[in-house]
């Protein structure tokens, strides 16, 4: 199968090429494009049966219609989220969309906890102080996680992996999800309402998909329900958080700590080297001025284990589609909004 791989970085190419080689005769004809797929770049995919895309590629209705008119049959997401794909239009056009629902949940969970510990114990600030010869401890006071309460919103594989780590730190873990699974119960997560989770949590971590219902889940109203000085972590999707509301909560000190691996407008920023550019996003620049805010550039998934799994599952999905086999990672009608 001829596959146009968009938004591909050197690491994508390395892992995808290795996984493709392992498929032997079932492998694909992969063509790598550094640019993202959108209205301006879709013509690069003319003549391809499939496109392989990531979180910031834009598969809107017009893009999908244009691709379908030139023979595109398959969209392979090399990620779990699919909010950047118009699934209704894909379904109408007969385009099959597949994803990687679980590549290495521990990679994102460990990153989320790393953000938590760094914010509390101020490792990033201590590192720079020591490099400057400053060994004073003033301003580096943290807090124990042991004995405190963590609230997890979203109890899928990543949420559960995060819960296991936090339980190991001696935290009480409470959680909210539309369906409270037996696996969540087995870990010892306490099911609560969102209102209770907001009120009782010292640390809140987001692990839910971005949908119409969860867009700006964290807003002025929900922030007001939280404990003063709460820590908020988001390694899921940027659109879960209303950035303006969070900035206001940081200024009033209602929000004590903020750790982000995703950002609502990250499509214009993340995965690129902009060190010699002026960043025009005023909200993002404002966030960077707070000493209690830590932002990483969507790297929670970025481990050897995760990239290897993503490549293998993505290409196997395409093999199954190409051979007319049932694919368990197909986004069917049950995912349509």
């Amino acid at each position: 199968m001829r596959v146009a791989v968009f938004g591909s970085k050197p690491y994508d190419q390395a892992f995808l090429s290795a996984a493709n080689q392992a498929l032997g005769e079932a492998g694909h004809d992969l063509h790598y494009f550094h640019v993202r797929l959108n209205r301006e770049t879709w013509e690069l995919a003319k003549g391809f049966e499939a496109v392989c895309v990531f979180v910031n590629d834009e598969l809107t209705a017009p893009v999908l219609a244009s691709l379908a008119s030139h023979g595109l049959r398959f969209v392979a997401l090399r990620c779990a989220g699919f909010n950047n794909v118009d699934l209704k239009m894909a379904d109408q056009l007969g385009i099959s969309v597949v994803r990687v629902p679980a590549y290495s949940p521990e990679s994102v969970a460990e990153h989320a906890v790393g953000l938590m510990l760094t914010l509390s114990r101020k490792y990033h600030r201590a590192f720079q102080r020591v490099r400057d010869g400053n060994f004073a401890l003033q301003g580096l006071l943290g807090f124990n996680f042991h004995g405190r309460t963590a609230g997890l919103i979203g109890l899928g594989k990543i949420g559960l992996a995060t819960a296991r780590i936090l339980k190991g730190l001696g935290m009480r873990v409470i959680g909210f999800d539309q369906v409270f699974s037996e696996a969540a119960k087995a870990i010892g997560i306490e099911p609560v309402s969102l209102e209770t989770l907001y009120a009782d949590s010292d640390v809140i971590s987001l692990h839910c998909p971005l949908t119409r219902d969860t867009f700006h889940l964290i807003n002025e109203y929900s922030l007001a329900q939280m404990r003063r000085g709460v820590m908020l972590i988001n390694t899921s999707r940027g659109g879960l958080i209303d950035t303006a509301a969070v900035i206001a909560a940081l200024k009033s000190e209602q929000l004590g700590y903020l750790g982000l691996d995703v950002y609502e407008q990250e499509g214009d920023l993340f995965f690129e080297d902009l060190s010699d550019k002026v960043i025009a996003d005023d909200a993002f620049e404002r966030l960077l001025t707070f000493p209690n805010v830590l932002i990483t550039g969507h790297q929670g998934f970025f481990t050897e284990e995760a990239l290897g799994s993503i490549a293998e599952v993505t290409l196997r999905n395409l093999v199954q589609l190409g051979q007319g086999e049932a694919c368990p990672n197909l986004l069917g009608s049950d995912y349509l909004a």
Side-chain angles (χ1 to χ4, degrees):
M1 184 185 300
R2 293 190 76 226
V3 183
V5 184
F6 282 87
S8 63
K9 303 296 185 185
Y11 46 83
D12 294 308
Q13 297 181 27
F15 280 91
L16 284 168
S17 294
N20 197 46
Q21 185 175 5
L23 289 174
E25 295 183 359
H28 307 284
D29 181 14
L30 302 178
H31 295 254
Y32 297 104
F33 299 98
H34 173 70
V35 297
R36 295 171 183 169
L37 178 59
N38 53 41
R39 284 192 178 199
E40 286 72 45
T41 62
W42 72 265
E43 290 189 358
L44 293 171
K46 283 183 177 179
F48 287 88
E49 291 180 79
V51 292
C52 178
V53 298
F54 197 47
V55 295
N56 290 323
D57 293 290
E58 300 172 11
L59 287 96
T60 59
V63 170
L64 289 169
S66 298
L67 292 172
S69 69
H70 287 84
L72 185 87
R73 300 170 57 204
F74 310 117
V75 170
L77 292 157
R78 54 183 191 275
C79 54
F82 49 87
N83 55 283
N84 56 329
V85 183
D86 189 324
L87 292 180
K88 283 187 176 180
M89 178 57 72
D91 185 60
Q92 292 172 16
L93 295 169
I95 296 175
S96 299
V97 182
V98 289
R99 63 170 180 152
V100 184
Y103 35 89
S104 175
E106 290 77 18
S107 65
V108 181
E110 290 169 10
H111 192 78
V113 176
L115 291 174
M116 295 175 194
L117 292 170
T118 301
L119 281 167
S120 169
R121 303 307 299 270
K122 303 173 179 61
Y123 297 140
H124 53 315
R125 299 177 65 187
F127 169 76
Q128 192 57 56
R129 281 194 187 186
V130 171
R131 287 176 63 88
D132 293 339
N134 180 357
F135 303 97
L137 298 182
Q138 184 66 31
L140 300 181
L141 187 66
F143 63 84
N144 286 5
F145 281 75
H146 184 90
R148 293 186 181 253
T149 299
L152 306 182
I153 302 178
L155 298 173
K157 289 183 170 59
I158 295 173
L160 294 181
T162 304
R164 293 186 188 96
I165 300 172
L166 298 179
K167 292 289 286 186
L169 291 175
M171 298 192 79
R172 173 195 178 209
V173 180
I174 59 179
F176 173 83
D177 204 329
Q178 297 296 332
V179 178
F180 197 82
S181 67
E182 290 299 323
K185 295 177 185 177
I187 293 172
I189 303 173
E190 302 172 36
V192 296
S193 66
L194 271 179
E195 292 75 17
T196 299
L197 186 144
Y198 292 148
D200 289 0
S201 299
D202 299 294
V203 178
I204 295 175
S205 191
L206 308 180
H207 300 285
C208 53
L210 178 60
T211 66
R212 290 179 180 177
D213 292 334
T214 61
F215 177 71
H216 283 186
L217 176 70
I218 304 302
N219 51 47
E220 181 181 5
Y221 176 72
S222 56
L223 286 162
Q225 298 179 66
M226 298 178 191
R227 289 184 175 181
R228 187 168 180 81
V230 66
M231 177 184 290
L232 177 63
I233 305 293
N234 188 10
T235 55
S236 188
R237 285 291 182 266
L240 298 174
I241 289 180
D242 180 340
T243 304
V246 161
I247 289 174
L250 286 164
K251 291 169 65 176
S252 70
E253 299 185 3
Q254 170 66 11
L255 187 58
Y257 309 83
L258 177 65
L260 302 177
D261 188 49
V262 290
Y263 172 62
E264 190 170 4
Q265 304 299 328
E266 70 176 58
D268 297 326
L269 301 173
F270 289 3
F271 306 112
E272 305 298 336
D273 181 359
L274 304 178
S275 56
D276 61 345
K277 303 288 193 305
V278 174
I279 295 178
D281 188 326
D282 291 341
F284 185 81
E285 289 293 279
R286 182 66 178 99
L287 284 173
L288 294 179
T289 67
F290 292 99
N292 52 347
V293 172
L294 179 61
I295 303 176
T296 53
H298 207 138
Q299 71 177 80
F301 76 102
F302 201 61
T303 65
E304 293 179 8
E305 294 81 359
L307 286 179
S309 179
I310 288 170
E312 292 169 10
V313 175
T314 298
L315 298 184
R316 186 169 67 245
N317 286 342
L318 287 172
V319 168
Q320 292 171 332
L321 291 179
Q323 295 178 353
E325 301 174 1
C327 180
N329 300 322
L330 180 68
L331 291 168
S333 59
D334 51 326
Y335 287 97
L336 299 179

